[in-house]
Amino acid sequence: TNLGSVEFQGEDLEEITMPTTHSLTNISFTICNLSEATVNHVLANARANGMVGGNIFLDGGTNAAPAGQGIIDKAFLQATIPPNTVTTN
């Protein structure tokens, strides 16, 4: 998939299945109602696809905070060179 960005805003969004491979540089699901599992999935997917220098916005609304491996994936994404900007609740 050659998409550069994917964005959605609204509390009706509760679950996302990201494509297995992609070249996204901007992922934004703000002010949604994402579960912990979905937030972790987005972060793991970005890490698996080698995202660097991008933006991931998963904050606002009632989005869950990452937990377990999601916290590790968030830290990894923020430590890349160039770093990714990653915001979560």
Side-chain angles (χ1 to χ4, degrees), residues 18-75:
M18 298 292 289
T20 305
T21 59
H22 59 75
S23 58
L24 293 171
T25 55
N26 293 292
I27 299 170
S28 180
F29 298 114
T30 58
I31 312 174
C32 297
N33 186 23
L34 302 179
S35 68
E36 178 185 295
T38 298
V39 169
N40 285 353
H41 166 70
V42 171
L43 296 170
N45 181 273
R47 180 177 178 177
N49 280 283
M51 186 179 199
V52 294
N55 300 296
I56 303 172
F57 302 112
L58 301 171
D59 55 325
T62 56
N63 284 346
Q69 184 64 43
I71 294 169
I72 295 167
D73 290 336
K74 178 181 177 180

